[in-house]
Amino acid sequence: MTDQATESVTTPLHLQGREAVIAAAAPEDWREEAPDYHLSHTVMPVERTTDHAPDSLEFIVEELVKVFEMEVSHKKDPATWVSLVAEHYRGRVNGGAWQDSAEFARIGSYNILIGDNPYYPGGETFESSHHIFHTAFPGGFFWEVLEVLAGPPTVTFKWRHWGRYTGEYQGHQPTGELIEMTGITIAKVSEDLRILELEHFYDNNKLLGPLAHGCPVAKTSE
């Protein structure tokens, strides 16, 4: 047996990386089709600010959260999300209301993670919220772990999100500038390192303010 085969047997799927989880998914798991992360493979190595060793806690946390983000964005049923314990999962932002896995699947992580903000229309569906940000960042919106401050079962880590504003946002024309924001997340995980809870702290005005050129946007009727 090869070392790679041995690793796949001994390492749980959710810790084998995003590409392994995509390859293992059934066709019916996807909202549309299996996602393509070629931009992450080409752009991230050049633009990221960290380079974690494969056996570091930072690397493990980053890979797990990337699997989580992929599953929330592209798999329609939380029961198929291997990165978390679906029946126990909950998440929130800046001390707001907790949302369970079913709500993440229904309205999407963009709506939940942004919440009520003067630079975001609100009332968006899962699909329309993804369209808004994929339009604004056609070259990708990337994410990296900067530092892990505390290890499991309660993992606290700093992160960075960034992308080039090269597409239109709610009628505002792109500037081409690099937009980035940083934050802190406290994650509770199970013994096998599946996610039970995510609590994020960050200023989303650092993202949305530049996109809207500092001008509040018209609210969408719910």
Side-chain angles (χ1 to χ4, degrees):
M1 183 178 290
T2 65
D3 291 341
Q4 184 175 3
T6 301
E7 179 182 359
S8 66
V9 170
T10 59
T11 303
L13 179 59
H14 65 285
L15 299 178
Q16 291 180 33
R18 185 168 57 194
E19 296 302 326
V21 175
I22 292 173
E28 61 269 22
D29 290 347
W30 304 114
R31 290 179 182 272
E32 296 180 355
E33 59 185 6
D36 176 6
Y37 284 95
H38 72 278
L39 288 173
S40 292
H41 300 313
T42 57
V43 178
M44 275 195 68
V46 178
E47 294 190 351
R48 66 179 301 140
T49 62
T50 57
D51 186 17
H52 305 304
D55 60 348
S56 67
L57 190 52
E58 282 81 4
F59 182 88
I60 294 170
V61 170
E62 181 174 305
E63 291 299 297
L64 176 60
V65 174
K66 284 161 61 177
V67 171
F68 167 81
E69 182 279 331
M70 178 276 293
E71 293 190 305
V72 172
S73 297
H74 297 283
K75 286 181 169 184
K76 58 192 176 204
D77 184 356
T80 67
W81 300 355
V82 301
S83 58
L84 52 74
V85 182
E87 62 270 26
H88 295 296
Y89 173 76
R90 63 178 188 169
R92 68 175 179 176
V93 176
N94 296 333
W98 291 104
Q99 306 288 351
D100 62 14
S101 60
E103 190 67 358
F104 269 76
R106 186 180 73 84
I107 66 173
S109 56
Y110 283 122
N111 287 322
I112 290 174
L113 297 179
I114 292 172
D116 186 19
N117 186 285
Y119 305 120
Y120 185 68
E124 298 296 330
T125 65
F126 182 104
E127 291 76 15
S128 66
S129 66
H130 278 248
H131 176 73
I132 287 171
F133 289 102
H134 290 175
T135 300
F137 296 102
F141 192 52
F142 307 102
W143 185 88
E144 66 176 334
V145 167
L146 298 176
E147 181 184 6
V148 174
L149 304 174
T154 302
V155 185
T156 304
F157 55 94
K158 296 179 181 179
W159 50 263
R160 169 182 174 249
H161 240 320
W162 78 96
R164 295 278 175 184
Y165 181 16
T166 57
E168 184 179 295
Y169 175 78
Q170 296 294 289
H172 297 285
Q173 295 307 303
T175 63
E177 68 183 294
L178 177 69
I179 294 180
E180 59 184 330
M181 63 180 182
T182 57
I184 291 179
T185 293
I186 301 173
K188 292 184 179 179
V189 297
S190 62
E191 288 186 3
D192 61 354
L193 299 184
R194 289 188 296 156
I195 299 169
L196 300 171
E197 181 179 296
L198 290 175
E199 190 165 12
H200 308 285
F201 299 92
Y202 67 96
D203 181 2
N204 55 30
N205 289 322
K206 296 289 181 66
L207 164 66
L208 298 169
L211 289 179
H213 299 193
C215 301
V217 300
K219 292 295 183 180
T220 302
S221 298
E222 300 200 27

